[in-house]
């Protein structure tokens, strides 16, 4: 009921943190998307990242992120609103105002409004920026890696259709989601409503290159085309997959399709898993295509059906966490991506370090 009289610094780690402490501090050093920009307009939005409850709000001075906690009496700021000039978020409990940087700019109950407000009254604010139509947050003052570089998403010509897929929530860890998104052997088994080809389960010894920011892998595949309004039935089509993966949870999957006239068209499936907790992941996806006649509705539906196919399996995986000790799961040759991913998370970032015991 009461907290003790002992003076405590408000811990950087969230209450009920589901991550090992070491991993939390490392993951907090990356940029993660927490919302589509279109979800944060004139009202504050609620989000969660690494077990930290966040409020995201848009001021005339820019986008802002803070702990969803008013420092006065701990009410959730996401229940509040923006002031008339859109300069401050207003706490709904006693009306304290906070600007983009989290500084308190107004205490309405103070009889003398000309008195300065102590600088110490400020929110726990985090770095926030918008890119690719997404709001990205980093919980540390310095990010250890930049936001993924996806030039086509920033500068697409008119021939490209760009589609934001409705945000998903998976009861699975972000790393299990990433491995699934980049798992080539599962396609012929799991995606039988969409593009998988059960007759072609073999995975060639595919190319994979690794650097300090991510991995690139490529592989040809023969998909089965199953259109939604398809009167022609099923037919095989040759595709070429190139995965541009950025640590720790972001992928740009480029799919090149051969066309009947000998040319080719391309789609990109951008996918980022944001770790809400160690066992829950928000899925942010954007699709982009230059296939003539493609519609946003069909594309979004196709992606959602594809996700649905993956979901039950990924949520069933045990342990929920990806084991970073390679010996702990069995591997087949097609697992080159996940083996390199697990090794790199340890080697480059020191994730999965043994916990200190007293
Ligand atoms: S709790 Fe926010 S103003 Fe009092
Ligand atoms: Fe899949």
């Amino acid at each position: 009921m009461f907290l003790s009289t002992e003076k405590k610094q408000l811990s950087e780690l969230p209450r009920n943190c589901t991550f090992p402490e070491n991993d939390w501090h490392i993951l907090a050093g990356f940029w993660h998307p927490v919302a589509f920009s279109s979800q944060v307009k004139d009202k504050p939005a609620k989000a969660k990242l690494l077990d930290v409850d966040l409020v995201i709000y848009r001021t005339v001075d820019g986008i802002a992120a803070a702990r969803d906690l008013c420092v006065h009496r701990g009410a959730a700021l996401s229940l509040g609103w923006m002031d008339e000039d859109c300069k401050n978020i207003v706490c709904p409990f006693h009306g304290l105002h906070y600007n983009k940087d989290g500084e308190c700019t107004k205490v309405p109950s103070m009889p003398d409004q000309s008195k300065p407000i102590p600088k110490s009254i400020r929110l726990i604010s985090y770095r926030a920026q918008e890119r690719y139509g997404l709001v990205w947050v980093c919980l540390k003052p310095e990010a250890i890696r930049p936001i993924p570089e996806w030039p086509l998403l920033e500068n697409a010509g008119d021939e490209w259709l760009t589609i934001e897929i409705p945000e998903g929530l998976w009861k699975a860890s972000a790393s299990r989601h990433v491995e699934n998104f980049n798992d080539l052997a599962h396609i012929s088994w799991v995606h039988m409503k969409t593009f998988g080809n059960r007759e072609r389960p073999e995975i060639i010894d595919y190319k994979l290159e690794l650097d300090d920011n991510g991995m690139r892998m490529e592989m040809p595949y023969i998909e089965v085309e199953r259109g939604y309004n398809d009167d022609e039935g099923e037919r095989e089509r040759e595709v070429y997959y190139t995965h541009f993966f950025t640590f720790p949870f972001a992928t740009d999957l480029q799919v090149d399709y051969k066309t009947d006239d000998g040319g080719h068209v391309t789609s990109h499936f951008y996918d980022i898993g944001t770790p809400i907790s160690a066992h829950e992941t928000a899925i942010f996806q954007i699709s982009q295509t230059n296939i003539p006649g493609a519609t946003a509705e069909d594309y979004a539906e196709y992606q959602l059906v594809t996700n649905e196919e993956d979901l039950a399996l990924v949520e069933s995986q045990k342990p929920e966490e990806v084991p970073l000790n390679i010996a702990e799961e069995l591997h087949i040759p097609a697992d080159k991506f996940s083996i390199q991913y697990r090794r790199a998370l340890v080697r480059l970032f020191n994730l999965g370090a043994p916990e200190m015991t007293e």
Side-chain angles (χ1 to χ4, degrees):
M1 175 173 291
F2 300 115
L3 292 177
S4 77
T5 54
E6 179 193 358
K7 180 160 170 46
K8 288 202 192 96
Q9 287 283 8
L10 187 61
S11 164
E12 198 190 2
L13 275 185
R15 274 180 140 190
N16 308 320
C17 182
T18 55
F19 297 84
E21 194 171 333
N22 170 71
D23 288 1
W24 188 92
H25 285 289
I26 295 162
L27 294 172
F30 289 96
W31 289 100
H32 303 274
V34 296
F36 281 108
S37 295
S38 54
Q39 295 170 309
V40 193
K41 288 188 174 153
D42 49 358
K43 286 197 188 74
K46 199 174 163 57
K48 197 168 178 178
L49 171 60
L50 296 166
D51 291 310
V52 178
D53 286 311
L54 296 172
V55 60
I56 314 296
Y57 57 102
R58 183 181 297 284
T59 72
V60 284
D61 303 309
I63 196 86
R67 249 196 214 199
D68 190 13
L69 179 143
C70 174
V71 288
H72 173 227
R73 285 293 181 269
L77 285 163
S78 55
L79 299 172
W81 54 86
M82 303 307 296
D83 68 359
E84 251 177 34
D85 306 335
C86 231
K87 272 192 159 303
N88 299 281
I89 184 170
V90 181
C91 177
F93 209 171
H94 312 94
L96 266 65
H97 286 41
Y98 301 94
N99 68 13
K100 172 183 175 282
D101 298 325
E103 295 160 348
C104 182
T105 54
K106 188 170 177 173
V107 181
S109 56
M110 282 200 333
D112 180 0
Q113 286 290 313
S114 64
K115 261 196 169 169
I117 295 166
K119 285 267 177 259
S120 57
I121 307 184
R122 60 181 310 146
L123 301 179
I124 303 155
S125 294
Y126 300 109
R127 298 179 68 194
Q129 58 171 304
E130 292 182 282
R131 206 159 167 202
Y132 314 125
L134 291 162
V135 181
W136 300 74
V137 169
C138 176
L139 298 177
K140 293 280 184 185
E142 290 298 326
I144 53 177
R145 286 291 187 281
I147 287 174
E149 282 303 327
W150 291 329
L152 184 68
L153 202 44
E154 225 147 24
N155 303 304
D158 290 345
E159 70 278 24
W160 291 92
L161 173 70
T162 301
I163 309 118
E164 286 180 4
I165 310 298
E167 183 184 335
L169 177 65
W170 287 27
K171 290 192 175 60
S173 68
S175 46
R176 287 284 192 196
H177 171 80
V178 161
E179 289 197 354
N180 169 253
F181 197 84
N182 292 283
D183 179 335
L184 298 171
H186 87 294
I187 298 170
S188 298
W189 297 93
V190 174
H191 292 297
M192 294 306 290
K193 280 190 204 149
T194 46
F195 53 93
N197 190 342
R198 190 64 59 81
E199 305 304 313
R200 310 256 187 189
E202 308 84 11
I203 300 298
I204 60 158
D205 182 19
Y206 56 88
K207 229 163 97 184
L208 189 145
E209 290 160 17
L210 174 109
D211 65 31
D212 280 359
N213 285 321
M215 291 188 261
R216 176 197 163 110
M217 68 172 172
E218 42 191 288
M219 190 192 81
Y221 184 69
I222 298 179
E223 291 188 344
V224 170
E225 194 174 358
R226 304 177 180 96
Y228 281 102
N229 317 311
D230 206 352
D231 308 327
E232 298 164 28
E234 298 180 359
R235 59 174 194 158
E236 289 193 329
R237 66 178 168 199
E238 285 182 43
V239 302
Y240 199 84
Y241 297 137
T242 311
H243 293 233
F244 301 93
F245 170 72
T246 306
F247 291 115
F249 306 125
T251 309
D252 163 15
L253 164 58
Q254 175 179 324
V255 186
D256 290 294
Y257 307 86
K258 282 191 179 160
T259 53
D260 293 340
D261 60 4
H264 86 278
V265 288
T266 303
S267 294
H268 285 259
F269 301 94
Y270 302 90
D271 173 273
I272 315 123
T274 291
I276 288 180
S277 72
H279 306 136
E280 293 163 295
T281 303
I283 311 295
F284 293 97
Q285 294 176 324
I286 301 171
S287 302
Q288 197 175 34
T289 186
N290 64 6
I291 296 178
T295 69
E297 295 70 34
D298 281 356
Y299 242 73
E301 193 187 341
Y302 196 75
Q303 185 61 54
L304 291 173
V305 175
T306 305
N307 290 344
E308 204 57 43
E309 291 178 308
D310 288 313
L311 181 71
L313 287 158
V314 178
E315 288 189 345
S316 81
Q317 285 182 281
K318 297 281 179 310
E320 290 87 346
E321 301 84 1
V322 161
L324 291 186
N325 178 346
I326 294 292
E328 270 189 44
E329 277 183 333
L330 212 125
H331 308 283
I332 53 178
D335 294 330
K336 211 151 63 170
F337 176 91
S338 56
I339 295 169
Q340 292 302 330
Y341 177 57
R342 294 175 189 197
R343 287 203 174 120
L345 293 180
V346 174
R347 185 174 55 80
L348 295 174
F349 307 111
N350 197 32
L351 281 159
E355 287 192 65
M356 302 288 276
T357 46
E358 298 194 356

